[in-house]
Amino acid sequence: MISRLFAVLILAAPLTAFAQRDDDAPIPYDDDQPKVERTKKHRRDDEGERLREEDEDEEKREKAEKLTHLDDPNVGLSVEFAAGAMLLESSRGALVDPRFGWGFRFTWEFGRLIADEYLREMFFADLTWLYAATHDGTTQVNADSNSHDFTIAPAFALPFGKSFMSAYAQVGAGFNYDWSAVHVGMTETNLAGTKFLFQYGLGLRGRPAVSESGAVRISFRIEVTRLMRGYLTDTFLGGSLGVTF
């Protein structure tokens, strides 16, 4: 009897171990394929979200770049004192009649209306008044002439990289007002007249900042300007110095 019971236990041991091994095995899932599909969908959703965030960031950067010019502390208005040699073309057949010329210039940098950082530094316009006087003749007979040139001239500038210097070309128009007094002995005769004036020229312009914010700048230029009044053409060789706000 004991031997039979021992034999049954020996035969039952492998079956019990096999059953326990089956119980420890992982339970198979029937939804493996849907799990893969959900993973792919999540990846697509994450990718789409990332692309949307990148588009929004790019949109914000573009908008910020467009509004940068509104934060510029410098308005772009200048006033300058101009002085130099005014080479008046002589009506008596001589080449030129050199005189001292001076005046004032008001500048508006209308390029600041453009959002692009480079283009906004390329355009400006001048409202200029230049004056030169002459005195000719003898003690008994002489004439004093006062020439006033008024011009409005837009300009196109090419900045030298990120520096405060630029080269420019300018074309404009205006009028010349000439007032003369002719003296014959004790008698004085006054003459006055206006002529259409055409202006063109080249120059160098600088605007170094005097404050860290750049709200105030020193403005200066060196120029060669031609002023055509009728059949005469005068040349102004000089420069100007002022301030830009």
Side-chain angles (χ1 to χ4, degrees):
M1 183 68 180
I2 295 175
S3 60
R4 289 181 182 179
L5 181 59
F6 183 74
V8 170
L9 291 176
I10 292 175
L11 293 175
L15 294 176
T16 303
F18 181 76
Q20 290 178 351
R21 186 176 59 187
D22 290 343
D23 291 341
D24 293 337
I27 299 173
Y29 289 94
D30 296 335
D31 56 346
D32 285 343
Q33 188 63 28
K35 183 179 179 181
V36 173
E37 292 178 355
R38 284 198 302 271
T39 302
K40 291 181 178 179
K41 181 180 179 182
H42 290 162
R43 289 177 180 174
R44 287 196 298 268
D45 292 342
D46 294 342
E47 183 69 17
E49 184 66 25
R50 185 179 63 81
L51 292 175
R52 280 194 297 271
E53 291 177 356
E54 290 180 356
D55 291 341
E56 290 177 0
D57 292 341
E58 182 67 22
E59 214 174 287
K60 290 179 181 178
R61 282 194 296 269
E62 291 178 357
K63 187 175 181 180
E65 290 175 359
K66 290 180 180 179
L67 297 177
T68 301
H69 66 291
L70 300 178
D71 298 330
D72 194 335
N74 193 260
V75 179
L77 297 177
S78 305
V79 58
E80 298 174 2
F81 173 76
M86 181 67 80
L87 307 180
L88 301 172
E89 185 172 348
S90 177
S91 59
R92 299 188 301 270
L95 185 60
V96 293
D97 186 9
R99 302 290 175 174
F100 175 71
W102 62 277
F104 290 95
R105 173 184 290 124
F106 300 92
T107 301
W108 175 38
E109 299 174 5
F110 64 89
R112 294 183 177 275
L113 299 176
I114 304 173
D116 185 83
E117 183 179 358
Y118 188 75
L119 293 178
R120 63 203 303 266
E121 299 290 338
M122 297 177 63
F123 302 99
F124 63 90
D126 293 328
L127 174 62
T128 306
W129 165 66
L130 290 175
Y131 169 78
T134 61
H135 176 81
D136 295 306
T138 65
T139 304
Q140 293 297 320
V141 181
N142 57 75
D144 294 316
S145 179
N146 300 272
S147 178
H148 302 265
D149 296 327
F150 300 89
T151 59
I152 298 177
F156 172 76
L158 287 176
F160 297 153
K162 295 292 185 178
S163 72
F164 57 80
M165 292 296 299
S166 62
Y168 70 90
Q170 190 171 44
V171 176
F175 67 93
N176 167 265
Y177 173 74
D178 191 86
W179 179 84
S180 300
V182 180
H183 302 92
V184 180
M186 299 299 293
T187 304
E188 180 180 300
T189 303
N190 295 324
L191 301 172
T194 59
K195 291 181 180 179
F196 173 78
L197 195 66
F198 178 72
Q199 171 190 338
Y200 62 94
L202 301 170
L204 295 174
R205 182 170 182 252
R207 296 174 303 133
V210 297
S211 61
E212 185 176 353
S213 65
V216 179
R217 296 174 178 267
I218 296 296
S219 58
F220 66 89
R221 69 177 76 183
I222 301 171
E223 63 184 294
V224 179
T225 300
R226 301 274 282 171
L227 302 160
M228 299 175 62
R229 49 187 179 96
Y231 60 90
L232 300 175
T233 301
D234 305 326
T235 303
F236 177 70
L237 300 175
S240 61
L241 178 65
V243 61
T244 299
F245 300 97

